Amino acid sequence: MNPARTRFPRNAAAPTYAGTASGPAPGWSRIAPQTGVAVELEPGDRLTVLDPLGEQVSDLYLVAAGDPAEVFSAGRTTDFGNSIYVSTGSRLWSNRSQVMADVVDDTVGVHDLTLTPCSQATFDLLYPEFDGAPHPSCFANLCGALAPFGVDPDSIGSTLNVFMDVWTDARGELHIDPPPTRPGDRFTIEARMPVVVGVTACSAEKSNNGTCTPIDWLVERAEL
């Protein structure tokens, strides 16, 4: 079992959410299955990523607005937080050791910092049943969403894989279990610098208990 479940125990029901399979709640936006978007945030703005149907991963990747060479660093986030797990109170750091955002709300407590976003190579190597056929991927979706902001594909590294249940056994082998999310579970970050956030509804069936579903999102702007 993922040790994050012990470190960040979940004792409450999922928050009430008015969205359904047919559409998001009023004021929210929806990312269709196996697609992605880019969201611009100013300091103090909050971005909430929500699983409307349950058992769906969302990859997040942060880039400094106006300076695409400064990007989210899973390594520094792990190093400076002294943990491979993030939840409420964690800080998300850049490759230049600057705080990009803080995690301010989390109803799940199970997220991954170890794996790269799924790519065509992922499906070629780990999904032999697809026989090399083209497949949507988080990497391709992040590339497409962030390209207008000057982000080169080679600069997109390991993502924050929200709701992804990855754990390591005593031999160091990785295991991926279905996301533990229920409809309405959410994860919120608050920007500490101007950033562009790539957000996906993960494309990898094995990461989402066999079925890829939408992700809903909401931005709450900081009060001026």
Side-chain angles (χ1 to χ4, degrees):
M1 183 179 73
N2 193 328
R5 295 173 185 256
T6 301
R7 180 165 182 176
F8 304 111
R10 181 174 62 188
N11 300 315
T16 301
Y17 180 62
T20 66
S22 59
W28 291 73
S29 299
R30 174 155 292 182
I31 304 172
Q34 301 183 317
T35 67
V37 300
V39 181
E40 297 180 79
L41 301 178
E42 294 294 329
D45 291 349
R46 293 189 171 192
L47 168 65
T48 297
V49 175
L50 179 145
D51 187 349
L53 305 182
E55 298 189 324
Q56 174 62 42
V57 171
S58 175
D59 287 14
L60 296 190
Y61 196 68
L62 289 73
V63 179
D67 187 358
E70 184 167 13
V71 297
F72 171 70
S73 172
R76 282 177 170 77
T77 297
T78 296
D79 188 6
F80 300 155
N82 195 36
S83 176
I84 60 172
Y85 307 120
V86 297
S87 188
T88 305
S90 299
R91 316 203 91 173
L92 306 182
W93 295 82
S94 79
N95 58 322
R96 295 177 180 165
S97 300
Q98 300 297 313
V99 178
M100 305 188 88
D102 293 327
V103 181
V104 295
D105 189 33
D106 175 17
T107 67
V108 181
V110 175
H111 317 283
D112 172 62
L113 283 171
T114 62
L115 299 185
T116 59
C118 63
S119 64
Q120 184 61 47
T122 302
F123 299 102
D124 293 345
L125 293 169
L126 303 180
Y127 288 71
E129 63 271 27
F130 293 159
D131 198 27
H135 193 286
S137 71
C138 285
F139 179 69
N141 289 329
L142 289 171
C143 289
L146 295 173
F149 300 92
V151 178
D152 185 270
D154 286 342
S155 71
I156 298 176
S158 296
T159 43
L160 168 52
N161 304 308
V162 178
F163 310 138
M164 191 173 188
D165 190 350
V166 179
W167 57 279
T168 308
D169 64 23
R171 298 182 303 168
E173 183 176 347
L174 292 175
H175 299 266
I176 301 175
D177 287 344
T181 46
R182 308 149 298 180
D185 272 324
R186 59 196 67 192
F187 179 87
T188 303
I189 62 172
E190 183 171 315
R192 293 298 175 223
M193 64 167 64
V195 292
V196 180
V197 187
V199 189
T200 74
C202 179
S203 301
E205 287 86 352
K206 291 179 183 178
S207 298
N208 301 294
N209 205 18
T211 304
C212 296
T213 56
I215 285 289
D216 292 353
W217 61 275
L218 175 72
V219 170
E220 299 169 278
R221 299 298 179 185
E223 295 183 6
L224 301 178

